[in-house]
């Protein structure tokens, strides 16, 4: 397996923390942009006269292009590198945020959300590729969890800041502000990330073999675990402020603040979970899937989300969500690190990550839509969380039994003849 000592010169190894920080900041901005939509959705739904079912479709609209372009975006990432694709991707979705603030019709607004999904498509493949290229093996799970920790941090910051902006100025200025912030990040990333060295040589670009991957039970174990976790992630990032508002009878600013409390707690706990996870697998053979035990354990703990209908106060809802989301972040971080552990060909890690996320985001698309129709049919979120808890447990079972050995992403020569 490749480590930082093989990919980063000795005198640049401390610089990896700058790259880590910028990569996490990218994830924070990405999910801050998503939070702005869910916090602003009551105003947007009122302005455009949307039903709960139609609201679910609008909330999921960015996932359409995000789902379709996960793999193509990751292939471009493997081809052109994280420096160029990272800057271009964030700039594109930031422009989409600004354009969204200027729309006057529902179709035009949905079009900007689809464009946002195009920009966000390579995000997680980029994070996994950066972590494998820059992190020593013993830091890999922790740093991938730290990257995924950008999800709750971004959702917390986005919920709090956009909640305040929307309450005082409206949803359009909030979208514009977040778009400008992303453009600033793109410039900093382009100026900071080292250019590929021509002297050290690079690994030739190669495409993945989908049939080869599909024959691997280890690959399917990682995919299923990611699918089940992403269903819960997309449910919360789309609906949580609305859930808070309806369950606790809050205003826009307060629902944004309570959502932020959940995500801040999750961010703090998820870093601790990542560190504990690395300790738990310290003596395990990571090349044989030792990290799967952490994925399974953390997803089981994350399934506690299914008990949410039993809670009726902020003092019970916020801690339960913070704990379950923290272990969700820890579990998905460990799962992506598990993918990096078991994939033999590191030069196609971005593409294989993209294929994994194509499946997981495909299931994730269903979460906001199903939630909208369940809410419309029942008038509450009880069934939503019972179903989600069971789905997460299915992911834990897949992680426990399937990812047990290394796998290839390209055809191997037949040595039997």
């Amino acid at each position: 397996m490749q480590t930082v000592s093989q990919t980063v010169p000795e005198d640049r190894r401390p610089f990896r923390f700058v790259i880590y920080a910028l990569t996490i900041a990218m994830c924070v901005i990405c999910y801050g942009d998503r939070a702005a939509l869910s916090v602003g959705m009551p105003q947007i739904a009122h302005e455009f006269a949307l039903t709960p079912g139609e609201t679910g479709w609008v909330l999921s609209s960015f996932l359409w292009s995000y789902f379709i372009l996960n793999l193509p975006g990751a292939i471009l990432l493997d081809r052109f590198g994280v420096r160029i694709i990272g800057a271009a991707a964030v700039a594109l979705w930031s422009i989409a945020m600004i354009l969204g603030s200027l729309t006057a019709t529902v179709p035009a607004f949905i079009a900007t959300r689809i464009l946002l999904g195009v920009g966000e498509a390579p995000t997680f493949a980029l994070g996994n590729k950066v972590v494998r290229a820059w992190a020593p093996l013993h830091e890999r799970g922790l740093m991938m969890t730290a990257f995924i920790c950008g999800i709750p941090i971004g959702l917390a910051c986005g919920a709090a800041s956009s909640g305040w902006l929307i309450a005082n100025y409206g949803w359009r200025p909030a979208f514009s502000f977040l778009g400008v912030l992303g453009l600033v990040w793109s410039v900093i990333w382009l100026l900071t990330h080292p250019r590929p060295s021509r002297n050290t040589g690079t690994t030739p670009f190669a495409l993945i073999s989908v049939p080869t991957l599909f024959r691997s039970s280890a690959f399917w174990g990682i995919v299923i675990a990611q699918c089940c976790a992403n269903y819960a992630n997309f449910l919360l990032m789309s609906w949580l402020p609305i859930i808070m508002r309806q369950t606790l009878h809050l205003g826009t600013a307060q629902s944004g603040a309570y959502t932020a409390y959940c995500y801040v707690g999750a961010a703090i706990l998820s870093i601790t979970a990542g560190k504990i996870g690395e300790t738990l697998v310290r003596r395990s053979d990571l090349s044989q899937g030792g990290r799967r035990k952490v994925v399974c354990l953390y997803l089981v703990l994350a399934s506690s989300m299914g008990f949410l209908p039993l809670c009726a106060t902020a003092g019970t809802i916020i801690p339960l969500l913070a704990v379950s989301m923290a272990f969700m972040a820890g579990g998905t971080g460990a799962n992506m690190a598990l993918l990096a552990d078991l994939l033999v060909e590191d030069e196609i890690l971005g593409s294989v990550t993209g294929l994994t996320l194509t499946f997981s985001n495909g299931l994730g698309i269903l979460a906001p839509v199903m939630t909208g129709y369940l809410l419309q049919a029942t008038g509450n979120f009880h069934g939503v969380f019972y179903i989600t808890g069971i789905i997460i447990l299915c992911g834990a079972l897949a992680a426990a039994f399937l990812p047990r050995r290394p796998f290839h992403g390209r055809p191997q020569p037949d040595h039997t003849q």
Side-chain angles (χ1 to χ4, degrees):
M1 291 288 179
Q2 199 173 25
T3 67
V4 70
S5 61
Q6 295 170 293
T7 59
V8 182
E10 186 75 25
D11 60 352
R12 264 179 41 201
R13 290 174 68 184
F15 186 67
R16 72 186 188 274
F17 294 106
V18 175
I19 300 300
Y20 292 162
L22 284 172
T23 308
I24 293 168
M26 176 192 67
C27 191
V28 169
I29 294 170
C30 173
Y31 281 86
D33 291 352
R34 298 187 191 186
L37 177 64
S38 56
V39 172
M41 202 63 232
Q43 276 194 16
I44 296 169
H46 181 265
E47 182 175 329
F48 293 128
L50 302 175
T51 66
E54 291 168 340
T55 297
W57 282 105
V58 172
L59 287 168
S60 71
S61 56
F62 89 94
L63 291 170
W64 307 342
S65 54
Y66 186 68
F67 160 66
I68 294 170
L69 294 176
N70 270 144
L71 181 55
I75 291 173
L76 289 175
L77 182 65
D78 282 339
R79 176 66 181 86
F80 295 104
V82 298
R83 179 176 176 269
I84 297 298
I85 297 300
V90 179
L92 181 61
W93 91 54
S94 300
I95 291 169
M97 286 291 292
I98 295 171
L99 291 175
S101 71
L102 304 175
T103 57
T105 65
V106 174
F109 183 74
I110 289 177
T112 66
R113 302 306 296 179
I114 292 172
L115 182 63
L116 181 139
V118 174
E120 291 190 352
T123 303
F124 266 81
L126 186 146
N128 210 9
K129 201 168 178 70
V130 166
V131 168
R132 177 145 177 177
W134 288 84
L137 186 60
H138 68 273
E139 279 183 9
R140 190 177 288 166
L142 177 60
M143 291 320 303
M144 198 62 210
T145 298
F147 171 69
I148 292 178
C149 186
I151 297 176
I153 295 173
L155 291 170
C157 293
S161 61
S162 61
W164 183 84
L165 284 168
I166 290 166
N168 289 279
Y169 303 103
W171 66 272
R172 296 179 187 274
F175 275 43
S176 296
F177 173 79
L178 291 171
V180 170
L181 186 63
L183 292 175
V184 171
W185 183 93
S186 295
V187 174
I188 295 173
W189 177 259
L190 200 60
L191 296 175
T192 303
H193 193 282
R195 295 175 181 268
S197 174
R198 296 182 179 180
N199 298 326
T200 57
T202 59
T203 304
F205 173 69
L207 291 173
I208 62 173
S209 168
V210 173
T212 301
L213 288 167
F214 280 9
R215 287 193 292 269
S216 168
S217 60
F219 172 74
W220 282 114
I222 293 168
V223 167
I224 294 170
Q226 199 69 22
C227 284
C228 296
N230 251 16
Y231 183 92
N233 282 331
F234 287 170
L235 161 65
L236 292 176
M237 77 177 68
S238 300
W239 282 95
L240 184 54
I242 301 171
I243 292 168
M244 288 289 187
R245 183 171 180 147
Q246 178 172 315
T247 304
L248 300 174
H249 311 290
L250 307 173
T252 300
Q254 198 173 13
S255 66
Y258 279 31
T259 299
Y261 298 156
C262 293
Y263 285 123
V264 168
I268 295 170
L269 292 173
S270 63
I271 292 296
T272 304
K275 186 65 177 177
I276 293 172
E278 289 300 287
T279 302
L280 291 175
V281 299
R282 184 169 295 166
R283 298 184 179 181
S284 300
D285 186 353
L286 299 183
S287 66
Q288 298 299 316
R291 211 184 297 269
R292 72 182 183 277
K293 300 171 187 176
V294 173
V295 179
C296 176
L297 172 63
Y298 283 5
L299 290 185
V300 169
L301 294 172
S303 70
S304 61
M305 187 183 304
F307 294 109
L308 195 70
L310 305 179
C311 304
T313 65
T316 54
I317 290 173
I318 292 174
L320 177 61
L321 283 174
V323 169
S324 61
M325 289 190 294
F327 284 111
M328 190 76 64
T332 51
N335 198 47
M336 288 293 95
L338 178 62
L339 174 60
D341 291 343
L342 297 184
L343 179 65
V344 174
E345 303 92 349
D346 64 345
E347 69 275 9
I348 57 172
L349 177 62
S351 299
V352 176
T353 303
L355 181 61
T356 302
L357 296 177
T358 298
F359 284 103
S360 65
N361 292 330
L363 183 61
I365 289 174
L366 299 177
V369 176
M370 286 183 62
T371 300
Y373 283 115
L374 281 170
L375 174 62
Q376 191 167 305
T378 64
N380 60 58
F381 292 96
H382 294 180
V384 170
F385 284 102
Y386 293 143
I387 292 169
T388 302
I390 293 170
I391 289 173
I392 298 170
L393 286 175
C394 290
L397 288 173
F401 293 107
L402 296 178
R404 293 177 174 269
R405 60 180 62 87
F407 62 92
H408 291 273
R410 297 206 307 264
Q412 299 303 298
D414 186 358
H415 297 292
T416 62
Q417 297 180 353

